[in-house]
Amino acid sequence: MKVVVIGAGLGGLALAQRLLDADIDVRVYERDSAIEARFQGYRIGFGAEGLKALYGAVQPRLYPLLEAVSGLVENTGRAVDSQLNVLGEKERDDDEGRMYDRNVLRHLLIAGLEEHLRYDMKLDRYEELPDGRVRAHFADGTTDDADVLVGADGAGSTVRRQLLPHVGIHDLPMYGAIGRTPINGFEHLIPGWSTMVSARNVQLMLGKMKFQRPPVEAAAELAPDVKLPDTPSYIRWVLLLPGTPKTLDLQPVLDLMADWHPDLKALIAHADVNNSGVSPIKEGDPIEPWPTRAVTLLGDSAHPAPPGGLGANLAMIDAELLADKLIAVRDGHEDKLGALAGYERQSCENGRIGRESAAQVFKDFAKLRAEA
Ligand SMILES: Cc1cc2nc3c(=O)[nH]c(=O)nc-3n(C[C@H](O)[C@H](O)[C@H](O)COP(=O)(O)OP(=O)(O)OC[C@H]3O[C@@H](n4cnc5c(N)ncnc54)[C@H](O)[C@@H]3O)c2cc1C
């Protein structure tokens, strides 16, 4: 069996690792020219279930490194106003989790996949072949045939647009200004696992990415063949703002915070601008199970939802489910379309969970804003 995965995000890489481990022929095609081609270094929180699925996608010899480069989830989260007065505290439902830098995690998930991963390979479309296989057509004119093609190509998925053209995806009239600031001098702003600053016109989410050990140092000692980026511990901040700009300009953000506590203004003013940017907030129509074929979807492509803290967790869980199904097909325990249909039902259910979580996050924001 041969599987072609479109997209080397967290979900596509996790699936490829699992398939490779099961000796299934897998190729990953990524449109970017390199893993670091775009700003992608933000903090991702994993709950117990997502973390378990992540560990299943990483080679066991790398477990000590995976733990060393994680951040711990500590104490309660808090909501504060723009002067840092505490508005409320929130226990985490699940304190077994860990924090990861997305860029560091992607490097870890690439380890061992190098010969199976090609960059600069943008999928244009796929073609279903008469024998039940699928042909991927890339922008450079090349093709690759597979028994199963997996669209792990994110919220704006090309694969989903062809497979499910009726599913709309909309930019919400707001954007996330996402940045990071070196942790030194700012750690006091986040005594727990996160701090949410709520003012009437702006909401600022703060999270701490404090590596248990610096990634480069930990890799050099625990797995010298793995190259991790030299990322220092940082405070990740996300501002939800109205509008849809293409680039991040800090001055208008600071203008909005003119009467805020000086430590909060300093946090934004000291941002590492090379690792800050803007992200449109997208919302997709709910997706119901579709007539199954040899093409399927995984992660954000299968359930595009506004960031609600669960997307990467669900991508890991999708990857586990889909890998198990594909292994069962390879071993003759299930037929291909039946196995994929079973996976897609569960993935759609994951999508529902993701949408509910995102809706709850937005509801909580609205409530805090009203209280601020
Ligand atoms: C600021 C922020 C904070 C977040 N925090 C959390 C969190 O705390 N917890 C959590 O669980 N989730 C979080 N998320 C969501 C999480 O990052 C995503 O859900 C997750 O990364 C989705 O992974 P994916 O593999 O499905 O897609 P992606 O990571 O989007 O990867 C898709 C890949 O496909 C490639 N691609 C796209 N089109 C093509 C094409 N045509 N051909 C070839 N390649 C293509 C892209 O270049 C990309 O590399 C956060 C998101 C943001 C923006």
Side-chain angles (χ1 to χ4, degrees):
M1 173 188 302
K2 179 173 158 192
V3 179
V4 157
V5 179
I6 307 300
L10 296 176
L13 292 172
L15 176 68
Q17 285 284 359
R18 287 174 175 275
L19 297 181
L20 193 63
D21 186 52
D23 285 330
I24 290 180
D25 183 6
V26 59
R27 314 273 164 87
V28 184
Y29 291 100
E30 167 58 48
R31 74 177 166 190
D32 288 344
S33 56
I35 185 175
E36 311 238 32
R38 290 182 288 130
F39 158 69
Q40 312 207 2
Y42 46 84
R43 183 193 78 148
I44 297 216
F46 282 90
E49 211 187 333
L51 192 63
K52 189 165 152 277
L54 167 65
Y55 264 77
V58 170
Q59 301 162 31
R61 73 178 180 96
L62 299 180
Y63 287 174
L65 181 57
L66 190 59
E67 173 62 13
V69 297
S70 70
L72 300 175
V73 178
E74 294 165 311
N75 308 323
T76 53
R78 67 170 45 171
V80 298
D81 66 16
S82 61
Q83 302 308 319
L84 295 179
N85 299 308
V86 177
L87 298 171
E89 300 216 319
K90 190 167 188 275
E91 295 290 338
R92 224 182 127 87
D93 308 329
D94 161 8
D95 57 5
E96 309 260 293
R98 287 285 185 275
M99 298 296 176
Y100 285 97
D101 174 77
R102 181 172 181 274
N103 191 28
V104 168
L105 197 51
R106 265 180 108 209
H107 278 76
L108 247 163
L109 281 168
I110 282 173
L113 274 183
E114 294 83 357
E115 286 175 17
H116 304 259
L117 167 61
R118 287 188 58 193
Y119 295 102
D120 260 333
M121 293 294 287
K122 179 176 177 295
L123 181 92
D124 268 350
R125 65 183 177 91
Y126 64 79
E127 174 190 357
E128 291 175 81
L129 302 175
D131 63 359
R133 303 183 89 222
V134 195
R135 176 163 297 157
H137 290 263
F138 297 97
D140 66 356
T142 60
T143 61
D144 195 8
D145 294 357
D147 296 290
V148 176
L149 181 141
V150 181
D153 48 346
S157 170
T158 303
V159 178
R160 189 193 59 243
R161 269 188 272 129
Q162 183 175 346
L163 181 68
L164 305 173
H166 59 279
V167 172
I169 173 134
H170 328 277
D171 280 344
L172 295 182
M174 63 173 82
Y175 71 101
I178 302 167
R180 73 183 193 209
T181 304
I183 200 166
N184 291 342
F186 295 108
E187 201 173 342
H188 65 284
L189 294 173
I190 312 172
W193 52 270
S194 80
T195 296
M196 165 84 76
V197 189
S198 267
R200 264 183 308 114
N201 50 356
V202 192
Q203 248 144 356
L204 172 65
M205 289 167 276
L206 305 180
K208 194 165 42 180
M209 182 64 243
K210 191 174 178 185
F211 298 104
Q212 294 190 68
R213 289 189 62 187
V216 170
E217 178 196 296
E221 185 190 314
L222 299 169
D225 58 311
V226 176
K227 295 281 160 275
L228 295 186
D230 188 11
T231 308
S233 294
Y234 60 88
I235 305 289
R236 182 274 285 141
W237 48 263
V238 180
L239 279 142
L240 284 185
L241 295 166
T244 52
K246 294 267 175 286
T247 53
L248 179 61
D249 183 357
L250 286 181
Q251 194 50 52
V253 172
L254 286 165
D255 291 346
L256 281 171
M257 298 169 69
D259 58 354
W260 285 33
H261 193 285
D263 289 359
L264 291 169
K265 287 194 284 190
L267 178 78
I268 306 300
H270 286 88
D272 166 1
V273 285
N274 292 327
N275 283 293
S276 302
V278 291
S279 172
I281 310 282
K282 292 181 186 295
E283 182 172 55
D285 295 336
I287 300 181
E288 298 296 331
W290 57 89
T292 299
R293 41 227 322 152
V295 177
T296 194
L297 303 172
L298 179 149
D300 276 8
S301 74
H303 23 77
L310 277 188
N313 285 262
L314 296 176
M316 290 299 132
I317 292 166
D318 275 4
E320 178 174 21
L321 284 167
L322 182 53
D324 285 351
K325 288 291 187 187
L326 293 172
I327 293 166
V329 174
R330 190 272 313 270
D331 294 343
H333 301 314
E334 284 196 64
D335 74 279
K336 183 166 86 177
L337 293 186
L340 290 175
Y343 159 73
E344 284 158 6
R345 273 195 300 277
Q346 190 56 49
S347 176
C348 286
E349 174 59 14
N350 286 345
R352 193 189 56 73
I353 294 167
R355 292 179 74 83
E356 278 180 12
S357 160
Q360 188 57 48
V361 168
F362 279 85
K363 232 186 259 168
D364 290 348
F365 285 171
K367 187 164 169 274
L368 281 169
R369 194 159 46 195
E371 284 167 5

